[in-house]
Amino acid sequence: MQVDWYFQLLNPLVFLIFAGGFVCIYMMRANRASLVFAASYTVGAVAFFVDVLFQHSTSVPIRTTVAGLYAVTAILLVCGIWRHYRGPAPWRALVGLLIVHLAVYASLLSLDTPWIRSLSVNFGCGMIFLFGVAAMKGRQTHTFDTLLYCVHITNCVLCFARPVVVALFVGEPITSENHSEELLLVSLHLFAAAAAVVTGMLLLAVLSHDIFEELRESSITDPLTGLLNRRGLDIAANKLVSKVPSQRFTMVIADLDHFKAINDSFGHAAGDHVIASVGQIIRNLSRKTGTVGRIGGEEFVVLLPDSKLVDAVKLAEQTGDALRSLRVENVSPYLSVTASFGVAEYCTSEDLSSLFMRADHALYLAKSNGRDCVRSEADLAVHDLAKFRQGDKIGSVNAEEAFTKGKASLSPASENASQ
């Protein structure tokens, strides 16, 4: 009896600890699923405690109440899973299942056949858990999701298997006197508690992983456009090179023309609206495999894997055409948005900074040629490189500074400056 009491009194404490963990997760990231999980484990703790207090009771209302608390624990768990993976939970179906489950359980309490009562208890909980399996099916995005899915399926299997085990190995009626003496029954309760603990640990891992991913995404994402920021683009570019160093890809740099005049004439709110609209256009026109980032106030970069220089030039021209026809809502219809483009192609095993320098050189060549046009590294002549060595001007920007800027833009040292 003491061993049974020990496990039964330990369960409420463990469940309350998990409930507190889910509340802490909610405080870090407001998520209704976390609160539903906290409610599930709180009700579970109450269910275990009430079960301990009235374990000798044979009253139908009391035993039905205890069974109901366990069933509500399962329902809240499934609702939290459903909300996390799919959205609003099917409350009506679950409440209807709960009513049927308790009605069947109460009607079978008077029977002396243990496996029938075990069937009524476990079959109802198994049906509840099936809703959770349906919610997670096809929604696994990382290892913790997969592990939780497998454990939840295991919980379902255990619910449907327990009555079979009881029917095969427990022949006499289950009473308060022999319940704690049956090693099989104690083991079944222990497995159920262990499954609940493992489920709680995995749920905390899933929610914590999501928080980590959100923080990681926010650290590499530009909040105004939703594109990668400079740090995110550096990471994406290095991954692109490290996977297949010899593969072909191109870089497009776009810089909005006279953007300061837009801010001065229409205000910074309108300027932000223009930046966001331009970012959306570039994202839409880039191929699905393209990586798009915003690395400056009005400067964007596109990386196009498996593409040639002519493909990148075509994309830049299409983007320029789309920008010229852009009409930004709530801003003057007379506002004209144009951009200059510089394009370069990656050479085998070359340093990323040199690729950026060539694209940046082409960009400033486009600006010196009247803006609102596309220039690629193919347009760069030998005398243009000589201008860089002499420190001559390209447009309004010193050419030597342009090379220095390109060399630093995709280096680790620039990451801190961009954050």
Side-chain angles (χ1 to χ4, degrees), residues 82-106:
W82 199 280
R83 174 164 287 279
H84 179 75
Y85 287 98
R86 291 192 180 270
W91 286 99
R92 293 182 179 179
L94 288 170
V95 171
L97 182 58
L98 174 64
I99 294 173
V100 174
H101 165 60
L102 293 181
V104 173
Y105 174 73

Side-chain angles (χ1 to χ4, degrees), residues 108-115 117 171-174:
L108 297 176
L109 274 178
S110 59
L111 298 178
D112 290 333
T113 306
W115 73 269
R117 281 181 289 159
E172 59 180 339
I174 301 174

Side-chain angles (χ1 to χ4, degrees), residues 253-260 262 271 274-279 282 294 297-300 319 323 326 336-341 363 367 371-372:
I253 303 179
D255 195 311
L256 299 185
D257 299 325
H258 306 296
F259 183 73
K260 185 177 182 301
I262 296 177
V274 169
I275 289 292
S277 300
V278 171
I282 297 177
R294 178 190 176 207
E298 64 273 10
E299 195 168 12
F300 300 83
T319 303
L323 292 181
L326 173 64
S336 177
V337 179
T338 62
S340 301
F341 299 87
L363 169 66
K367 286 187 174 291
R371 305 176 190 268
D372 188 20

Side-chain angles (χ1 to χ4, degrees), residues 67 70 101 105 109 116-126 159 163:
Y70 283 126
H101 165 60
Y105 174 73
L109 274 178
I116 294 181
R117 281 181 289 159
S118 178
L119 176 64
S120 67
V121 173
N122 289 282
F123 187 82
C125 289
C159 284

